[in-house]
């Protein structure tokens, strides 16, 4: 059976620079089935879902629903739900948790502040606290969004859970279902494509050691797509895998070509030229469409280290 994921894999489509951008992730536990647009097509009140979408728009916060792997029964009765929020920008990375029986309380959060990396409203409204039980692995399993997420994501989530891996949740949408199984690892916010159980374990182990696992890495959600590709290219070029060592300082230009400046905590800087290409040959970008397209790809043209004089230009 040909799927968007199998076609992407067969054509060896690169995964770098394809993560869903989000400086902050807000995750709400929601049992039961999910529709294609889960915030408004699940057992969550759709009025609340639309209000949350509106509240987060333009703030840098991305909201997703999560559930444990396995049966997805929902009694529709009030229950204690887990809530996580994680800021992914280097220098201010954190992961907070809380519980609530009333998801409407999320509307009391200061989404603009959360997008900036200020979790004080989360702590005040939901009695939030620092998450201390290790990193989270979010596996996209929403088959109503794309069947690849169900066919490939659910078995991965089940395997990880059955083998005792902590912190595994199913999640509604991470973007790029043609790279299924897709996984987001928090708190650093690096996304992975075509993930296998051993690569997820490696990524989680890396987080515990404060480093980034590069196998199948799509990029850091803290950055837009050109920045994601540039940061990964610098990591590969200089062998730097410490999670918070690099920052995308600025991005100049516009599609189809950008000049991205990447900085290191030790003061070094690099200028990375990134060009937008088109993946060939044309193929369906999703299992939900028969329309052929050429998915955009981020191609790194050059990586050059800057001297102090060049930084001023």
């Amino acid at each position: 059976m040909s799927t968007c994921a199998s076609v992407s894999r067969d054509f060896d489509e690169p995964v770098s620079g394809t993560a869903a951008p989000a400086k902050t992730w807000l995750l709400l536990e929601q049992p039961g089935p999910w529709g294609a647009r889960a915030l408004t097509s699940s057992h969550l009140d759709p009025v609340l879902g639309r209000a949350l979408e509106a509240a987060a728009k333009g703030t840098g916060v991305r909201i997703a629903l999560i559930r444990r792997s396995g049966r997805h029964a929902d009694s529709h009765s009030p229950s204690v739900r887990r809530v996580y929020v994680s800021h992914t920008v280097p220098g201010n990375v954190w992961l907070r948790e809380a519980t609530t029986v009333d998801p409407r309380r999320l509307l009391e959060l200061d989404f603009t502040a959360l997008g900036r990396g200020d979790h004080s409203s989360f702590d005040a409204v939901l009695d939030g606290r620092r998450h201390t039980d290790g990193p989270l692995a979010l596996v996209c399993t929403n088959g109503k969004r794309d069947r690849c997420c169900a066919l490939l994501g659910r078995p991965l989530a089940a395997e990880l859970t059955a083998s005792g891996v902590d912190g595994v949740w199913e999640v509604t949408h991470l973007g790029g279902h043609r790279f299924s199984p897709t996984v987001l690892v928090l708190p650093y916010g690096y996304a992975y494509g075509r993930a296998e159980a051993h690569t997820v374990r490696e990524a989680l182990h890396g987080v515990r050691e404060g480093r980034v696992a590069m196998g199948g890495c799509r990029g850091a959600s803290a950055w837009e797509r050109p920045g994601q590709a540039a940061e990964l290219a610098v990591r590969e070029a200089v062998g730097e895998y410490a999670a918070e060592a690099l920052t995308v300082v600025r991005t100049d230009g516009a599609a189809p070509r950008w000049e991205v400046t990447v900085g290191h905590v030790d003061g070094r800087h690099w200028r990375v030229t990134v060009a937008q290409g088109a993946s060939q040959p044309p193929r369906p970008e999703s299992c939900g469409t028969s329309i052929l397209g050429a998915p955009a790809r981020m191609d790194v043209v050059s990586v050059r280290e800057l001297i102090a004089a060049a930084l001023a230009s």
Side-chain angles (χ1 to χ4, degrees):
M1 176 180 63
S2 179
T3 64
C4 66
S6 64
V7 171
S8 175
R9 187 186 296 268
D10 289 345
F11 289 143
D12 198 24
E13 182 182 355
V15 302
S16 175
T18 66
K23 294 187 182 302
T24 301
W25 289 85
L26 179 62
L27 310 170
L28 170 63
E29 184 176 5
Q30 175 58 58
W34 298 330
R37 297 184 61 86
L39 282 179
T40 54
S41 56
S42 67
H43 288 179
L44 183 71
D45 178 1
V47 174
L48 172 59
R50 284 189 290 271
L52 287 170
E53 288 178 335
K57 187 175 181 180
T59 65
V61 178
R62 189 179 180 101
I63 305 174
L65 304 181
I66 57 174
R67 65 191 178 196
R68 291 298 190 184
S69 179
R71 296 189 53 155
H72 303 137
D74 182 9
S75 65
H76 294 272
S77 60
S79 58
V80 176
R81 303 172 189 230
R82 192 70 60 90
V83 186
Y84 295 102
V85 65
S86 181
H87 190 61
T88 64
V89 177
N92 187 29
V93 170
W94 45 259
L95 175 58
R96 313 287 289 180
E97 66 176 339
T99 56
T100 185
V101 294
D102 183 6
R104 291 173 297 181
R105 299 216 63 191
L106 271 63
L107 292 174
E108 301 174 39
L109 299 176
D110 186 337
F111 284 86
T112 300
L114 286 174
R116 292 196 309 263
D118 177 358
H119 54 71
S120 57
S121 70
F122 183 82
D123 295 351
V125 171
L126 298 174
D127 193 25
R129 56 200 175 276
R130 186 168 67 92
H131 176 72
T132 58
D133 291 336
L136 303 182
L138 310 174
V139 184
C140 186
T141 63
N142 191 352
K144 292 296 177 67
R145 191 91 185 193
D146 190 281
R147 62 176 174 169
C148 287
C149 298
L151 292 173
L152 302 173
R154 286 180 188 167
L156 175 62
E159 179 182 353
L160 291 167
T161 300
S163 64
V165 177
D166 294 329
V168 177
W169 292 85
E170 297 186 3
V171 68
T172 47
H173 185 50
L174 296 177
H177 25 249
R178 65 186 183 278
F179 302 118
S180 294
T182 59
V183 179
L184 176 72
V185 178
L186 295 175
Y188 295 123
Y190 283 85
Y192 294 85
R194 305 186 187 121
E196 298 179 8
H198 70 91
T199 59
V200 176
R201 292 189 188 96
E202 180 183 346
L204 292 171
H205 181 68
V207 170
R208 295 184 182 95
E209 295 185 340
R211 59 177 176 82
V212 178
M214 297 293 289
C217 190
R218 300 173 62 193
S221 72
W223 318 124
E224 297 295 326
R225 292 186 61 186
Q228 294 172 18
E231 190 241 28
L232 290 180
V234 172
R235 287 191 179 280
E236 291 280 13
V238 303
E240 177 57 82
Y241 305 115
E244 295 189 77
L246 300 179
T247 298
V248 174
V249 177
R250 59 185 286 181
T251 300
D252 299 305
R257 196 175 184 89
W258 300 266
E259 295 291 333
V260 182
T261 303
V262 178
H264 194 287
V265 290
D266 66 8
R268 288 179 293 165
H269 287 78
W270 295 264
R271 188 153 295 159
V272 184
T273 302
V274 180
Q276 180 175 297
S279 297
Q280 297 294 337
R283 82 290 300 270
E285 296 185 44
S286 168
C287 290
T289 179
S290 59
I291 299 173
L292 298 182
R297 51 186 284 171
M298 297 291 110
D299 294 323
V300 173
V301 177
S302 64
V303 178
R304 61 190 187 280
E305 187 170 354
L306 300 177
I307 58 174
L311 285 172
S313 63

